[in-house]
Amino acid sequence: MRVGLLTGGGDCPGLNAVIRAVVRKGIEDYDWDLVGFRNGWQGPMTGDSRPLGLDHVEDILARGGTILGSSRTNPYKENDGAGRIKSTLAEQGVDALVAIGGEDTLGVASRLTDDGVNVVGVPKTIDNDLDATDYTFGFDTAVHIATEAIDRLRTTAESHHRALVVEVMGRHAGWIALHSGLAGGANVILVPEREFSVEQVVEWVERRFERMYAPIIVVAEGAVPVGGAELLHSGERDAFGHVRLGGVGQWLAEEIADRTGKESRAVVLGHVQRGGTPTAYDRVLATRFGLQATQAVADGDFGTMVALRGTDIVRVRLSEATAKIKTVPKDRYEEAQVFFG
Ligand code: F6P
């Protein structure tokens, strides 16, 4: 059997651990021939592939990024994209694909399943916003990086009696903000799921200053003030219709400075959250996803995605897995509010 792999969408730590697990199990248990398609869906659309043998995955478990490259290519926005993918698979003798990605990449995998392609999905994203799985790999690493940054920002904020606004990733879901904010002891956490009142933020900030502490405000890039709109880095949209967000941290820092008369600074963590080596948790989760995806291919269980439920890895239909995103529920956000101010 010949099996292809690809990684699509924003990269995240742990992608290489999945690739390694699929290659190791595929060769050792099933004697498969494995091939890696480069740069997400662009690879199978253009026939851009490379062999994947045991030697190629020897040293990649702890390496961030993806040895296959990634892109946000959407075959359903290209001329006969799905047809071109099917032709490549036929020409290269590839029987099945393991697609590692987030909602967009897996949404394409789901449509390709309907179009007759044998696909198994593996969920990844630092945002942790895929509804069908309790956690995605990459999230733990991103939260770890953001928490370490908050710890460091706190000491400089306190030395200078400043407010520090930390902008983290999260377009529609505030999981990174919530978890890093809780772990880092933030005084305000702002998420896209809930519009925030600037007056309320300023009140919390002032309360913190009164107690001679420097306030830390963690804000997700997609958070929106009451009556306002998302702040955009640029209006340009990618092939899945997403705009580039950014700027809410700087905007809020300026509002805080104007309204409190205190110094305020903003830090955007950006792609630092996606780079570098995965945590042990993410390496284990990514490896288990890779092993179970290989098993699903071996079982011929196509059109499925592997998912974490509790401590078990289960299979869910790709169509179900991509139907909605997982956002921060009201009660989870309210739980954190006791620490605000
Ligand atoms: O989807 C993952 C993610 O990291 C989002 O949190 C973020 O908004 C986006 O990707 C950034 O995309 P890009 O790498 O294209 O700038």
Side-chain angles (χ1 to χ4, degrees), residues 195-196 223-231 251:
E195 288 190 339
F196 64 88
V224 174
V226 176
E230 283 174 334
L231 274 119
W251 176 82

Side-chain angles (χ1 to χ4, degrees), residues 33-317:
D33 192 15
L34 289 133
V35 59
F37 285 103
R38 291 195 179 89
N39 304 326
W41 292 114
Q42 202 180 306
M45 255 178 41
T46 58
D48 188 3
S49 67
R50 50 163 283 184
L52 277 177
L54 293 176
D55 287 356
H56 302 116
V57 299
E58 220 167 53
D59 248 341
I60 65 168
L61 172 62
R63 202 188 305 167
T66 160
I67 60 166
L68 296 178
S70 192
S71 76
R72 296 191 189 274
T73 306
N74 182 352
Y76 288 96
K77 284 277 160 65
E78 306 278 336
N79 183 26
D80 192 28
R84 284 156 70 190
I85 290 175
K86 283 164 117 178
S87 305
T88 299
L89 300 183
E91 276 159 25
Q92 299 197 12
V94 175
D95 307 293
L97 276 178
V98 175
I100 312 162
E103 50 157 336
D104 298 327
T105 304
L106 297 176
V108 170
S110 179
R111 289 183 71 176
L112 283 171
T113 301
D114 297 340
D115 286 339
V117 179
N118 293 333
V119 196
V120 168
V122 175
K124 69 88 223 176
T125 164
I126 64 163
D127 297 343
N128 197 37
D129 60 355
L130 282 165
D131 192 51
T133 182
D134 289 354
Y135 286 100
T136 50
F137 63 87
F139 173 64
D140 186 64
T141 307
V143 168
H144 188 84
I145 292 167
T147 304
E148 206 204 326
I150 294 167
D151 289 347
R152 289 176 186 278
L153 292 167
R154 181 181 300 288
T155 61
T156 170
E158 288 188 345
S159 305
H160 291 270
H161 317 288
R162 285 172 175 155
L164 252 157
V165 181
V166 188
E167 183 181 309
V168 297
M169 279 187 171
R171 278 184 189 131
H172 311 296
W175 292 107
I176 298 177
L178 182 70
H179 280 229
S180 65
L182 276 175
N187 312 107
V188 182
I189 300 171
L190 304 172
V191 296
E193 291 84 346
R194 200 174 170 121
E195 288 190 339
F196 64 88
S197 138
V198 184
E199 289 73 30
Q200 174 67 82
V201 171
V202 166
E203 198 186 307
W204 282 323
V205 163
E206 281 183 325
R207 219 193 294 163
R208 196 74 189 164
F209 273 130
E210 275 161 24
R211 284 148 64 197
M212 307 306 281
Y213 289 111
I216 302 281
I217 301 97
V218 177
V219 58
E221 61 184 348
V224 174
V226 176
E230 283 174 334
L231 274 119
L232 306 186
H233 187 274
S234 81
E236 213 177 289
R237 288 184 186 271
D238 67 19
F240 291 93
H242 304 299
V243 285
R244 270 181 76 193
L245 297 178
V248 65
Q250 183 60 36
W251 176 82
L252 188 58
E254 286 167 18
E255 286 290 314
I256 290 171
D258 286 352
R259 294 178 190 224
T260 64
K262 296 275 200 304
E263 270 196 312
S264 184
R265 296 284 189 273
V267 173
V268 182
L269 296 187
H271 294 82
V272 170
Q273 294 158 97
R274 289 215 320 236
T277 187
T279 58
Y281 179 89
D282 280 340
R283 292 182 206 184
V284 172
L285 181 58
T287 298
R288 291 187 69 208
F289 276 163
L291 296 174
Q292 293 300 325
T294 310
Q295 193 58 54
V297 172
D299 294 345
D301 199 2
F302 300 117
T304 57
M305 181 192 90
V306 291
L308 181 71
R309 294 275 167 82
T311 54
D312 294 332
I313 309 285
V314 300
R315 293 176 199 166
V316 292
R317 300 304 304 166

